Amino acid sequence: MEVSVQEETPVLFNFPSAGTPDSLGDHSSAERDLIVMPVPDTVLFPHMLAPLFLVDEAAIAAAELAWAGERVVLAITRREVAPGRSALDDLYTVGVEATLQRSRKMPDGTTSVVLEGQRRMRVVAPIEDSPALRVRATPLYGDDERTLAIEAMMRAVLALFEKVVRLSRTLPDDAYITALNVDDPGGIADLVASTLPISIPNRQQILETIDPEERLHRVSTLLTQELDLLELENRIQSQVQKEVDRSQREFFLREQLKVIQRELGQDDPTQRDLAALRARAKEAHLSERARARADEEIGRLETMPPITPEYSVVRTYVDWIINLPWDKASDDEIDLRHAAHVLDQNHFGLTRIKDRILEFIAVRQLAGHLQRAPILCFVGPPGVGKTSLGQSIAQAVGRPFVRLSLGGVRDEAEIRGHRRTYIGAMPGRIIQRMKDAGTVDPVFMLDEVDKLSADFRGDPAHALLEVLDPEQNHTFSDHYLDLPFDLSKIFFITTANYLDDIPEPLLDRMEVITLPGYTEDEKLQIARRFLVPRQQRASGLAEHPLRFSNTTLTTIIRGYTYEAGVRNLEREIGSICRKTARRIAEGRTYPRVIMPRIVERLLGPPRHEIKAADREDQVGVATGMVYTGAGGDIMAVEISLMEGKGQLTLTGQLGEVMQESAQAALSYTRANANALNLDVRRFEKTDIHVHVPEGSTPKEGPSAGITIATALISALTGRTVRHSIAMSGELTLRGHVLPVGGVKEKVLGALRGGINELILPQKNQRDLLEIPKAIRARLKIHFVSNLTQVLDLVLGPVPPNPPKRAVIAKK
């Protein structure tokens, strides 16, 4: 491991009184068995008090073991870890026997300890390495004799140390006072070595030097080197200070020189820069108001000292004006065949959107620049290709493509920018993207327009009203520019997952185009034409192509994805390609044809199951059709009757609108009790429980009205409901069936669930045009306008002599 401890605070010394040896009380040379604590970032000396944070597992284990025992460890500095060494080989052979004064576990998993060094020890032999490294070590002692040479060396070291402390900006003055009060020659050397900013190997060398005189000599050499460095550093700093003073003097002289040059008519670099800026402004294709503002601001710069803070603000503002594409248009590719080829090459299906783009290109070819650019809004579930479709449109029409993500934007200044009175003001994101585009007519995608937020800084959706209004955006005003900028030539495309989250005034300015979820056949074609080739290229399988059979792709679509788009489908295909690429790289055999049986081995067991309809007719259970963000599906509605007081219970995490549909179904049933051969008094004695399974999933919408009413009437009459038919429609109190949305997705979901006979509102008949003919041919659809028609289609015969409590369960 790279790190096991780090210093918590500066080290302290706790020297014994004069004459006490560098040991634990005497010069006993007996060997000891000690726990080793690795220390990589410092060297612990005798009588040194060091607070440390332990991070390494080995160090923490040593601390815990020592704290539970004699609280004595052998602190040894770790060498630079080299590959192939054992744990003991990573450590120096000489360390310090230390007592563990404190050990605390910290909230982040580390351990804080305080070590107090006692005496030098040399490792003799390892004993064990688990749970912590334990070695046998012998103490090391130097000669205690105080000679004249040692006394002279001590004085020399103290004199050098005093100079170093006086010149250093990091060493405290107390360090010299502490050294002055140490009477032990070796202790003085240890203290100085621990405080000097020297390398770990040099500190370890001092620790391994046993003879006090030699130790003082080595420390004296290090002090001399440090003193030379400090004196050189001070000389350099003095020279730098002089250079700064001279630079200030030269600055004032230059300013005087500029005044003299201005009086003499001579030019200076600043004036040359401003002249070049004025030339750029003259060559740029600016609007009349923008040109006047640029000339005005450049005139201000000419009379403004460059050192003032406002100079850079004004200069940045002028650069923004000059760099914006005020009237630089792109060269459109007015070629219908090329555009159609690009759209077909990049996207499968999406006929309505492709036709709309080709219509725009055709009108542009005939009307030229008189045509107003469209503002389209692509609405659909995630993964159906809304963002990539914008890129294809830009490629088809030959315009630059810029994208602005609006997800989570809650500040109006993100759209309109900040006024220049604010520090660090910048234009809004609209103007910034226009500068990146370089033309006045790019394809501009406002992604996730339904994810906008609002707070005390304003509502960005309100700022977008001007951006997306053809009657206003030709004079769009950014707060930073404070100039009208023409956005009317931009081909705006917005994307959203749900229309309900878009403010109505903003939605009114856009042409909504719905991207429904893909059918299973469409997903199969998209995977074969686009996803499989792209993932094979991304996985480096161009020279080792894989073959995916239609059955294999269908298995992945049904068992491993549950979505309206194809994003997760591409992930699963990519996972298979990557696993195959690994086998190729390892030189192992790999399947060249991916069969269904191989899919489960590579991706694991299937994660999704297609809901299947009930296999028999039941009383009080009807099958409805739902539309979710992942596409269409079928949903069972269950009704249970119990003796009670006429209460209605709704479960299954139903939304307010769906609860109202249940109330409407009950009201219709009670109002038409005689026509349904029901006893009106029965409602006062029966509790009705309406449940929609999968209660963890929220459910909302009025389209379950006829499904709930059918299940309720079935439970009250005892007539079974056909399991092979699914329905969707909103119910009124008069029994009329109103149209619903998401017809295509609901029909496809029912077909996946094994149901091919459906009931839909009469007014939804026009929505079948969105369903491919091949799928329509497999369906039997009944269009109804009232609930009576529904009941005639789905309810079974009246049971002979039904008991009054046939479907009533006691609580």
Side-chain angles (χ1 to χ4, degrees), residues 22 24 122 162 340 439 466 647 656-657 679 685:
D22 181 15
L24 283 173
R122 184 186 299 278
E162 181 184 9
T439 63
E466 181 184 3
Q647 295 181 353
E656 292 184 4
V657 177
D679 186 1
K685 302 178 181 180

Side-chain angles (χ1 to χ4, degrees), residues 104 202 334 339 362 382 426 469 505 564:
R104 294 178 181 174
N202 284 336
I334 311 298
M426 290 186 65
D469 191 340

Side-chain angles (χ1 to χ4, degrees), residues 381 498 562-564 611 626-633 697-698 745-746:
Y498 303 100
Y562 182 72
E563 57 178 345
K611 292 182 183 177
V626 296
Y627 174 40
T628 67
D633 211 338
T697 304
E745 288 77 10
K746 292 178 179 179

Side-chain angles (χ1 to χ4, degrees), residues 21-228:
D22 181 15
S23 67
L24 283 173
D26 60 10
H27 281 189
S28 173
S29 60
E31 296 179 350
R32 297 196 63 185
D33 295 344
L34 296 173
I35 299 170
V36 175
M37 179 175 289
V39 182
D41 299 325
T42 186
V43 175
L44 188 69
F45 286 89
H47 310 297
M48 176 179 175
L49 195 66
L52 303 171
F53 278 122
L54 304 184
V55 181
D56 191 293
E57 295 179 359
I60 294 176
E64 293 175 351
L65 193 61
W67 187 257
E70 298 178 358
R71 301 186 181 181
V72 178
V73 296
L74 179 60
I76 305 179
T77 302
R78 186 191 292 273
R79 305 174 189 265
E80 292 185 2
V81 179
R85 291 179 178 173
S86 64
L88 185 59
D89 293 334
D90 293 339
L91 306 176
Y92 288 99
T93 58
V94 175
V96 172
E97 183 181 11
T99 58
L100 193 60
Q101 301 291 345
R102 187 189 71 188
S103 178
R104 294 178 181 174
K105 287 189 173 296
M106 307 305 290
D108 58 354
T110 62
T111 299
S112 173
V113 300
V114 177
L115 296 179
E116 182 180 4
Q118 299 297 338
R119 59 181 176 179
R120 288 172 167 81
M121 303 285 285
R122 184 186 299 278
V123 175
V124 176
I127 298 177
E128 62 180 7
D129 58 358
S130 178
L133 180 61
R134 186 184 295 271
V135 299
R136 180 164 298 157
T138 183
L140 301 175
Y141 301 106
D143 190 0
D144 293 336
E145 183 179 1
R146 299 282 292 269
T147 63
L148 290 177
I150 291 179
E151 291 288 345
M153 188 65 69
M154 289 174 59
R155 294 185 180 182
V157 167
L158 288 174
L160 289 172
F161 190 52
E162 181 184 9
K163 295 179 181 179
V164 169
V165 171
R166 188 172 62 251
L167 293 176
S168 175
R169 294 178 176 81
T170 58
L171 296 179
D173 296 335
D174 293 340
Y176 172 70
I177 302 300
T178 303
L180 197 62
N181 287 275
V182 176
D183 192 47
D184 180 26
I188 292 177
D190 292 344
L191 187 148
V192 174
S194 65
T195 55
L196 285 179
I198 57 179
S199 64
I200 296 297
N202 284 336
R203 291 191 183 188
Q204 182 67 26
Q205 188 180 30
I206 299 297
L207 181 67
E208 294 178 358
T209 303
I210 307 304
D211 182 51
E213 182 177 356
E214 184 181 357
R215 199 186 311 167
L216 285 170
H217 178 74
R218 292 182 183 276
V219 170
S220 177
T221 302
L222 294 174
L223 280 171
T224 303
Q225 295 174 355
E226 183 66 17
L227 184 60
D228 292 340

Side-chain angles (χ1 to χ4, degrees), residues 277-299 317-318 321-322 326-327 483-484:
L277 188 64
R278 189 178 289 276
R280 286 176 52 203
K282 186 177 181 180
E283 295 174 359
H285 299 283
L286 306 180
S287 65
E288 183 177 347
R289 292 186 58 177
R291 185 175 301 281
R293 180 65 62 82
D295 292 341
E296 178 185 351
E297 297 297 332
I298 293 175
Y317 176 72
V318 175
I321 293 178
I322 295 175
W326 294 91
D327 64 352
L483 290 170

